[in-house]
Amino acid sequence: MSSIAWGAAAQSLPQQSDSGAAIPEIIVTAQRSAAPESKTPVAMSVLGGADLEKAGLDTAGDLGARLPNVYLQESFDGLRIAIRGVSNADVTEKGDPSAAFMVDGVYLARPQSQTVSFYDVERIEVLRGPQGTLYGRNTTAGVVNVISKAPAPYFEGNANATVGSYGTRNAGAMVNVPVNDMLALRAAVTANRHDAYLRNGQGTPYTLGLDRDDRAARLSAKFSPGHGVTALVRYDAGRDDTNNDSAVPDANFYSGIASGKPVWNDDSTSRRLTNRFRAPNSVPEQGYSRKKTANLTAELAWDLGPATVSWLGAHRHFEHDYLYNFYYRVAPTVALGTRNDFHADYAQDSHELRIATNGSGPLNAQAGVYWFHEKATALYDFRDLQPVGLTPYYVFDSDPVDARSKAVFGQATYAIAPRLRATAGARYTEDDKSRYGYIGYQQKAAFNPATDLRELNAGAISSHKTTWRLGLDYDLSPATLLYGSVSTGYKAGGFNDGCVSGASQVVAGSTVTCPAASGVPADTLVYRPETVRAWEAGLKTRFWDGRASLNLAAFHYDYRNLQLSAETVVNGRPRYETTNAGEAAVRGLEADGQVRATAHDRVTYAFTLLDAHYTSYMPDSLHSWAGVKLDRAPGRTLALGYEHGFDLAGGVLTAGASTRASAAYLLSVPTQQLQFRVPGHTESDLRLGWEPLGGRWSLQARVRNLENEVRPLTISASGLTVPSAPRTADMRLDYRF
């Protein structure tokens, strides 16, 4: 396994055998301007495109266990991101994440569209901690930014193919063409498939999920007409046809759930990955998920000498259809089968105009304005819930859900002394959300006013916040940076399903009301913004003639109104509800780096300590969760990786291994007072690569999750549990031209 096992090193292992083995510097844009990673006063991990390809990490979920204090986990309902114990589970069209996921600097609002394939990637920057000043709202936990390769002024191309276990078959290609001195074009494509990891033990002929079937393409153009003007335009489109039935009952991992005290069981990996649930009320159908994306991004920069003016604009369209067969626990010892049909259409537009100073003077400043708009239509219907008193079709129809955000921001760094710099920044954000829709109680899929009922399901909320950052950084030596900061973050408030008794609204041309029997208190329909104040101190250093590195970060967060989401029952009817969890505290220590003993030997390491817990939280009116750990917050983790290159006749054989050991952590369902403890575990990877000297091709063989142990990634209030991947093996061939 390459050094990206713990992200501090994002460059490929050198092939030359000279005595120098200095760690190459990485240029990042974490502070929205290009700077060496070792001189950027932010806790971050950088994953280089070459090492991503070596290790076969081509989705966000692949990265989750390979970054300090970061979990990126792909669930049936989208990507879940947790950084330093902070995450959010509301992946519906009205929800927001706690960590922003970006592609080429553009925020992706929907977690379902964040399960993208990585291809032709320059690097991935993962910033830990609130980034409310330069990146804005919904970054209380941090930022993940995937940066694609831009067209270059020279000709190059490559092609790759991968085969492996579970029927893995992947292929990709790229070509870069300089048309003339001003214009360069780049095209990249990818296609990826593997069979399901899950097994069907339900007695039906249908296949289950944790499979893969996606393809995507990107065309980029870079135009440099002179006079300091540069334009970069990217268009990409993709399709994903995986199976959405990617969960098993929580009983595959735990016993004693009915008693309210789940205990880890001793099932084998094979049994954990087998869905044996047979619903007493319904017969499953073949599950599916069909996603289509089309995205246009444009960047324009004009270097005016003292400053550069830049604009980043994007339009993204995402369409999603699926059929999902739910495992739905309605009582401690009773579970139903529920078929869920879904269709949604999302369109988002964003624009950012920014001006930043140039030059090497004592002042480095930037300021800008930001605008975002997302419009979504979504239709859910749930079947087979007649045993709980509902109609054959229980429908949620929203048209539209509208989210708007605008902000103004600025940040400046001033050199107080030759080695001492001070930073101050602030951002003011306004957010507006609304929904027009209804909840339908229907006999069939189509609404019939003669037999069916509708009740209002609409909401609106506005919120605003000023976030800020103050920091100092000091060069202890030319190779050592010491920094400290205090910063704040903000996540917009929102609304829940339901209505206030007597309310009415015109939806789809007709008036829909809220019957008295369905009404809920107005204060339960909205939840407040989530905020955080974070103190952080860190050190980044290179030593041993630049052949070793150490990154240290110590942090303390105070969270207010932490947003938690789960299924719940309101007036006897299932709903998805978000509440504010009072207060939480997060503190910890991170250390990571690498050592290059020779040009062919590289060791990577990372160690984390984390204490993330509620300080004030009452899931109900009876129980206090003060002191209970936040989800996905192991007290300690340790990761080690080693890679060695052997000079053989005609080439270099590279062997690598990495392992990560994690202490136990929790996955909780507060609405049911359930705490699922995931035991401590290790996960190890192996890699063997061959590259001939001066050759155009290379070969990689990889094994991931050598232990072949699986764990729950997510557990819903209804008992749906998404497992991690079992042991997999593959071989990749690359050819460059």
Side-chain angles (χ1 to χ4, degrees):
M1 178 88 181
S2 70
S3 67
I4 57 101
W6 277 83
Q11 304 295 326
S12 299
L13 187 69
Q15 292 187 2
Q16 67 273 16
S17 296
D18 56 56
S19 59
I23 301 170
E25 188 61 84
I26 309 165
I27 302 301
V28 300
T29 54
Q31 295 292 279
R32 309 303 299 273
S33 60
E37 185 276 332
S38 65
K39 298 298 183 181
T40 300
V42 175
M44 63 184 299
S45 299
V46 187
L47 314 175
D51 277 344
L52 289 171
E53 292 174 358
K54 277 187 178 182
L57 307 181
D58 58 1
T59 69
D62 290 338
L63 307 179
R66 294 164 175 83
L67 301 170
N69 272 333
V70 176
Y71 289 81
L72 294 98
Q73 299 172 329
E74 296 183 8
S75 184
F76 66 91
D77 52 5
L79 183 68
R80 308 287 184 89
I81 305 175
I83 299 178
R84 293 174 171 173
V86 179
S87 61
N88 184 64
D90 188 352
V91 297
T92 68
E93 61 282 347
K94 62 183 178 58
D96 290 306
S98 295
F101 188 92
M102 296 182 163
V103 174
D104 297 319
V106 176
Y107 173 67
L108 272 65
R110 292 303 103 218
Q112 297 85 350
S113 68
Q114 296 169 5
T115 56
V116 295
S117 293
F118 300 151
Y119 63 106
D120 202 32
V121 170
E122 179 69 33
R123 66 187 183 277
I124 299 175
E125 298 181 6
V126 182
L127 282 59
R128 301 187 293 277
Q131 307 295 325
T133 301
L134 294 180
Y135 291 89
R137 76 203 225 288
N138 306 335
T139 60
T140 53
V143 170
V144 179
N145 192 12
V146 182
I147 301 168
S148 308
K149 289 186 177 180
Y154 49 82
F155 178 83
E156 67 170 338
N158 64 56
N160 63 81
T162 302
V163 294
S165 57
Y166 292 93
T168 293
R169 54 268 196 214
N170 305 335
M174 179 279 298
V175 62
N176 186 99
V177 179
V179 178
N180 53 40
D181 291 341
M182 295 186 294
L183 177 65
L185 302 177
R186 190 179 188 95
V189 297
T190 186
N192 309 279
R193 299 189 69 180
H194 69 66
D195 299 336
Y197 297 150
L198 294 185
R199 299 182 176 93
N200 190 343
Q202 299 175 299
T204 68
Y206 305 128
T207 59
L208 300 184
L210 290 184
D211 62 329
R212 187 175 185 185
D213 184 3
D214 63 76
R215 52 270 193 205
R218 181 189 306 114
L219 179 62
S220 307
K222 188 173 183 179
F223 182 56
S224 303
H227 306 289
V229 175
T230 303
L232 175 60
V233 179
R234 295 182 173 101
Y235 176 79
D236 65 87
R239 185 178 178 98
D240 187 335
D241 292 321
T242 53
N243 188 336
N244 216 41
D245 282 347
S246 56
V248 297
D250 49 11
N252 278 31
F253 290 88
Y254 297 90
S255 58
I257 299 169
S259 69
K261 298 184 181 300
V263 177
W264 186 262
N265 64 32
D266 59 356
D267 266 356
S268 65
T269 294
S270 176
R271 285 182 59 82
R272 295 193 193 283
L273 295 174
T274 301
N275 190 343
R276 300 179 295 275
F277 172 66
R278 301 190 181 190
N281 62 313
S282 68
V283 177
E285 298 180 38
Q286 177 60 65
Y288 63 85
S289 173
R290 301 180 185 124
K291 302 177 182 178
K292 292 190 293 185
T293 60
N295 312 302
L296 178 64
T297 303
E299 299 179 65
L300 178 65
W302 188 9
D303 186 345
L304 300 174
T308 295
V309 176
S310 60
W311 166 75
L312 173 62
H315 173 77
R316 305 187 65 90
H317 180 255
F318 174 52
E319 186 177 349
H320 193 191
D321 294 273
Y322 68 67
L323 169 65
Y324 191 78
N325 294 285
F326 264 86
Y327 170 85
Y328 181 46
R329 183 184 292 113
V330 295
T333 58
V334 179
L336 301 177
T338 304
R339 290 169 292 174
N340 171 209
D341 300 285
F342 174 79
H343 172 77
D345 191 273
Y346 309 89
Q348 75 165 63
D349 294 277
S350 62
H351 300 273
E352 182 180 84
L353 181 65
R354 191 168 63 93
I355 183 169
T357 59
N358 295 328
S360 57
L363 178 66
N364 182 354
Q366 57 183 298
V369 293
Y370 176 78
W371 181 86
F372 170 88
H373 177 220
E374 182 191 34
K375 181 179 179 180
T377 62
L379 176 63
Y380 303 77
D381 72 58
F382 297 88
R383 295 178 275 161
D384 312 313
L385 289 174
Q386 296 94 317
V388 296
L390 290 170
T391 50
Y393 285 80
Y394 181 47
V395 178
F396 290 78
D397 192 348
S398 299
D399 187 9
V401 179
D402 203 80
R404 298 176 185 269
S405 182
K406 53 188 177 182
V408 57
F409 64 90
Q411 181 166 298
T413 299
Y414 185 77
I416 302 172
R419 294 195 293 174
L420 178 64
R421 295 162 294 276
T423 297
R427 186 183 191 104
Y428 176 76
T429 305
E430 292 183 355
D431 288 295
D432 297 285
K433 295 182 183 179
S434 64
R435 173 180 58 194
Y436 291 83
Y438 66 84
I439 299 174
Y441 304 91
Q442 302 174 191
Q443 299 302 312
K444 296 182 179 180
F447 178 76
N448 182 348
T451 59
D452 304 336
L453 298 174
R454 286 176 173 174
E455 66 183 44
L456 188 64
N457 191 33
I461 187 172
S462 297
S463 53
H464 60 88
K465 187 70 176 178
T466 297
T467 52
W468 49 267
R469 178 184 181 88
L470 298 174
L472 288 172
D473 60 276
Y474 179 71
D475 295 322
L476 288 175
S477 71
T480 302
L481 174 71
L482 179 67
Y483 66 91
S485 67
V486 56
S487 60
T488 63
Y490 152 76
K491 179 180 170 185
F495 45 80
N496 288 311
D497 294 322
C499 56
V500 177
S501 177
S504 64
Q505 199 165 47
V506 177
V507 178
S510 61
T511 300
V512 180
T513 63
C514 183
S518 301
V520 297
D523 60 356
T524 67
L525 289 179
V526 296
Y527 51 90
R528 296 182 297 278
E530 175 183 292
T531 62
V532 61
R533 180 171 295 183
W535 291 262
E536 183 152 344
L539 179 142
K540 296 184 177 184
T541 186
R542 302 281 181 93
F543 53 97
W544 194 20
D545 296 328
R547 295 157 63 178
S549 68
L550 170 64
N551 302 316
L552 282 173
F555 52 90
H556 176 88
Y557 299 172
D558 285 328
Y559 267 92
R560 298 293 184 272
N561 296 318
L562 195 67
Q563 295 171 6
L564 296 181
S565 307
E567 299 101 334
T568 188
V569 176
V570 179
N571 294 332
R573 297 155 190 174
R575 304 284 171 83
Y576 198 78
E577 187 172 86
T578 297
T579 58
N580 293 107
E583 301 175 1
V586 178
R587 53 181 176 264
L589 177 69
E590 298 164 349
D592 67 271
Q594 64 171 302
V595 178
R596 294 198 175 195
T598 71
H600 278 338
D601 289 277
R602 178 166 58 181
V603 175
T604 59
Y605 64 92
F607 176 68
T608 70
L609 297 174
L610 182 63
D611 177 15
H613 62 272
Y614 301 107
T615 56
S616 175
Y617 178 36
M618 298 282 287
D620 55 24
S621 58
L622 300 175
H623 303 87
S624 171
W625 272 30
V628 173
K629 300 291 187 181
L630 301 186
D631 284 4
R632 302 176 185 87
R636 59 193 178 278
T637 63
L638 173 65
L640 293 171
Y642 175 66
E643 185 176 85
H644 179 76
F646 299 88
D647 281 322
L648 301 178
V652 175
L653 180 69
T654 304
S658 66
T659 189
R660 179 181 187 268
S662 171
Y665 56 86
L666 294 179
L667 297 175
S668 301
V669 182
T671 56
Q672 299 178 11
Q673 296 293 309
L674 292 173
Q675 297 174 17
F676 296 89
R677 182 179 181 272
V678 180
H681 55 270
T682 62
E683 185 172 337
S684 306
D685 299 336
L686 301 175
R687 185 178 69 84
L688 189 66
W690 167 256
E691 185 167 356
L693 293 176
R696 294 182 176 271
W697 62 274
S698 60
L699 191 64
Q700 307 287 334
R702 303 167 295 218
V703 178
R704 290 164 53 189
N705 188 8
L706 188 64
E707 295 85 347
N708 196 31
E709 295 180 355
V710 297
R711 297 169 299 282
L713 301 180
T714 62
I715 303 178
S716 74
S718 65
L720 282 171
T721 302
V722 176
S724 60
R727 180 194 301 131
T728 60
D730 64 34
M731 182 172 292
R732 170 171 167 145
L733 174 66
D734 285 89
Y735 181 78
R736 298 171 294 279
F737 57 89

